[in-house]
Amino acid sequence: MTEIRHHLTDALLMGYSAGTLPEGFNLVVATHISLCDECRARMHAFDNVGGGIVDNETPEPMSMDSLNQTLDLIEAGDIAQQAAEAVSPTDTLNRRADTDVLPAPLQQYVGGDLDAVKWRKVGGGVQQAILKTDTSATVRLLRIPAGTAVPDHGHRGTELTLVLQGAFRDETDRFGTGDIEVANEDLDHQPIAEDGEDCICLAATDAPLRFNSWIPRIAQPFLRI
Amino acid sequence: MMTQTSTLMNARKPASHDAQSAKRILEQGLPGPALVKEVDLKKTHTSDRMAWVSHMQAIRDDKDRKAFAEIFGHFAPRVKGFLMKSGANPELAEDVTQEVMATLWRKAHMFDPAKASVSTWIFTIARNRKIDVLRKQRRPEPEDLPWGPEAEPAQEDVLALQQDCENLNEALAALPDKQKELIVKAYYGDLTHNEIAEQTGLPLGTIKSRIRLALERLRHQMK
């Protein structure tokens, strides 16, 4: 595991813990945490804030027979579970194989590792694959050939870019495998993939990007970027 | 373990024998005088937390219905309150709370008291159900760690983390009202991620560092 230098923000971690992020952002956060023990520990800390809120909650009386109803639910669940395990005794561990590039939460959206990604060309050698989530954010995999630039762009909302393979540089810094860049309205940037390996990123936006040249602007409605 | 469950719905505190054993743990083999001083102040609350932890272990190991009934009696009304403040009507909140508590039973083996208090674990189950039912969204979860949830954490790590949760809770209570209100609103889902402040004023450093160290140690053992 290479050392991760760019981490999730507190606001993103709190939103993830509270469960209020767009689904596409949740996917980027869960994927970063899969690669980063530091942010995993911070996530647990924020979850413990949620526990504190439950502790301090004003109790709402449960209905008369609710404990017994719950015990019935448990028994019904036990029977269903035994039936399911009799059919397919799989362990449901959410883990990737050592040689896989994509962390487990991302593989669930892709339907496998890198070889299962359905890439489409978006120009300049760059390829993308949009992943299916709810519409509150758009999330895509990007494959940027080594040494290639992504079109210069700004942002209306928030853009999260997580590096899964290779590295890129922009006006702010270098982002290597596992690093996440959190960009907002203030940042106009032109990411360039480093020489060597192709750079593969997971990118999510909660508003369309703002391109600074006219060709990508024409292509934008078709490419959903 | 079979015991009668008649009066248990009224239970507000964990059974006293468990509190006793938790107190014993608190008094024995604790590292560092600083923690002992803290313990004097917070003995009751932390020993309650430790007792809830042993209730979870009784559910996991013995399918103990008495322990479950006590956890239910204490936490289910709070979960229901939390769900109603998050926008669920009373009927839906009741149903979802029952599902949350049934999940607590079924997944008792997944609970890790070196990373979460019982209330935290219940919160995460309730949050996930809330996303599913109220927001109709899929929830991507981080990858499981290589050692899996079956590794039994060291007792002193559990105690230290439960103490951290207690401290965190007190810090939350001590925040200025406006700040506290913002955090609570964020967890009820009343704030978008853009409205959540980058500086919460919550002292999360200690609890984060402890979990971070535990993760590092476990990764090291795996090699």
Side-chain angles (χ1 to χ4, degrees):
Chain A
M1 202 182 270
T2 54
E3 202 195 330
I4 294 174
R5 291 169 51 241
H6 297 278
H7 296 277
L8 294 164
T9 62
D10 278 351
L12 281 168
L13 276 165
M14 189 185 265
Y16 182 71
S17 182
T20 47
L21 296 183
E23 184 183 343
F25 281 19
N26 277 337
L27 179 58
V28 178
V29 170
T31 305
H32 176 81
I33 290 171
S34 301
L35 300 167
C36 178
D37 281 355
E38 173 73 13
C39 288
R40 189 186 287 269
R42 288 167 70 211
M43 171 196 74
H44 285 299
F46 278 105
D47 282 351
N48 278 308
V49 177
I53 286 166
V54 168
D55 275 330
N56 295 320
E57 194 57 73
T58 317
E60 281 288 335
M62 294 292 284
S63 71
M64 283 281 289
D65 201 32
S66 65
L67 176 59
N68 284 328
Q69 286 171 6
T70 306
L71 290 168
D72 288 347
L73 268 182
I74 289 168
E75 270 162 28
D78 283 348
I79 293 163
Q81 201 176 346
Q82 280 162 10
E85 278 165 11
V87 179
S88 62
T90 54
D91 71 316
T92 53
L93 263 190
N94 183 21
R95 286 281 309 158
R96 80 193 122 139
D98 286 344
T99 49
D100 286 356
V101 173
L102 306 183
L106 189 50
Q107 292 210 13
Q108 287 171 9
Y109 279 77
V110 168
D113 197 39
L114 269 189
D115 48 11
V117 178
K118 295 182 183 70
W119 294 108
R120 286 179 201 288
K121 293 186 176 112
V122 292
V126 178
Q127 294 177 299
Q128 74 164 12
I130 293 179
L131 305 179
K132 199 172 165 348
T133 57
D134 72 350
T135 53
S136 51
T138 308
V139 61
R140 62 170 55 78
L141 279 161
L142 284 170
R143 180 173 208 131
I144 310 155
T148 305
V150 171
D152 183 14
H153 63 277
H155 312 91
R156 288 195 186 87
T158 304
E159 182 188 41
L160 311 179
T161 310
L162 170 64
V163 182
L164 300 165
Q165 178 190 293
F168 73 82
R169 275 175 195 282
D170 68 9
E171 288 77 349
T172 65
D173 208 344
R174 175 186 187 271
F175 296 83
T177 305
D179 281 335
I180 185 162
E181 182 173 47
V182 181
N184 57 26
E185 291 91 350
D186 306 334
L187 181 72
D188 260 343
H189 67 157
Q190 182 164 34
I192 301 171
E194 273 190 359
D195 290 335
E197 233 176 348
D198 285 357
C199 180
I200 295 173
C201 298
L202 179 67
T205 50
D206 59 357
L209 304 182
R210 213 158 15 93
F211 283 99
N212 298 334
S213 71
W214 62 273
I215 295 174
R217 232 181 284 151
I218 290 172
Q220 206 167 355
F222 305 105
L223 301 175
R224 287 179 53 203
I225 51 182
Chain B
M1 208 191 300
M2 290 302 288
T3 29
Q4 71 277 34
T5 57
S6 52
T7 56
L8 291 165
M9 286 297 289
N10 299 321
R12 276 286 171 268
K13 294 231 166 203
S16 61
H17 65 276
D18 285 315
Q20 289 286 322
S21 64
K23 210 180 283 172
R24 241 192 343 271
I25 295 160
L26 282 171
E27 282 158 2
Q28 289 170 3
L30 284 180
L35 188 53
V36 173
K37 211 163 65 191
E38 296 272 318
V39 164
D40 285 338
L41 283 169
K42 294 164 187 158
K43 197 178 266 178
T44 327
H45 287 139
T46 304
S47 58
D48 277 358
R49 281 177 196 273
M50 290 301 285
W52 292 129
V53 168
S54 36
H55 277 51
M56 284 304 304
Q57 284 157 350
I59 292 171
R60 181 193 66 188
D61 298 339
D62 307 320
K63 299 200 176 299
D64 186 335
R65 288 186 168 222
K66 178 172 174 284
F68 181 72
E70 287 190 13
I71 286 195
F72 191 96
H74 181 80
F75 287 105
R78 286 170 170 77
V79 171
K80 189 175 177 181
F82 172 75
L83 290 168
M84 284 171 65
K85 294 229 181 71
S86 304
N89 65 39
E91 292 74 35
L92 184 62
E94 169 81 28
D95 288 351
V96 174
T97 301
Q98 290 188 17
E99 286 168 21
V100 167
M101 299 313 286
T103 304
L104 170 137
W105 173 286
R106 247 177 257 143
K107 298 199 171 168
H109 60 285
M110 308 275 289
F111 170 60
D112 181 353
K115 298 201 186 67
S117 66
V118 172
S119 45
T120 297
W121 201 59
I122 291 173
F123 160 75
T124 57
I125 298 172
R127 173 204 58 206
N128 290 0
R129 283 304 288 154
K130 185 174 104 177
I131 292 173
D132 197 19
V133 175
L134 293 182
R135 304 193 70 200
K136 310 217 182 309
Q137 232 186 41
R138 234 171 116 184
R139 163 91 179 177
E141 289 287 337
E143 197 161 279
D144 293 335
L145 296 164
W147 51 85
E150 70 277 6
E152 193 81 52
Q155 191 67 6
E156 64 257 34
D157 290 345
V158 173
L159 181 58
L161 194 277
Q162 300 298 317
Q163 177 79 61
D164 287 344
C165 287
E166 189 56 38
N167 294 345
L168 183 59
N169 222 352
E170 284 174 20
L172 180 64
L175 284 179
D177 284 348
K178 265 206 167 144
Q179 228 166 327
K180 203 184 334 181
E181 199 183 320
L182 273 177
I183 291 170
V184 172
K185 273 174 94 170
Y187 280 83
Y188 287 148
D190 294 339
L191 298 182
T192 68
H193 61 279
N194 292 317
E195 291 165 340
I196 294 176
E198 204 46 65
Q199 296 296 322
T200 60
L202 277 169
L204 294 174
T206 313
I207 201 161
K208 186 221 71 181
S209 305
R210 194 179 308 278
I211 295 168
R212 179 84 171 94
L213 278 174
L215 291 173
E216 227 163 74
R217 197 168 56 222
L218 285 163
R219 283 221 190 268
H220 189 71
Q221 283 166 9
M222 284 297 294
K223 277 173 191 161

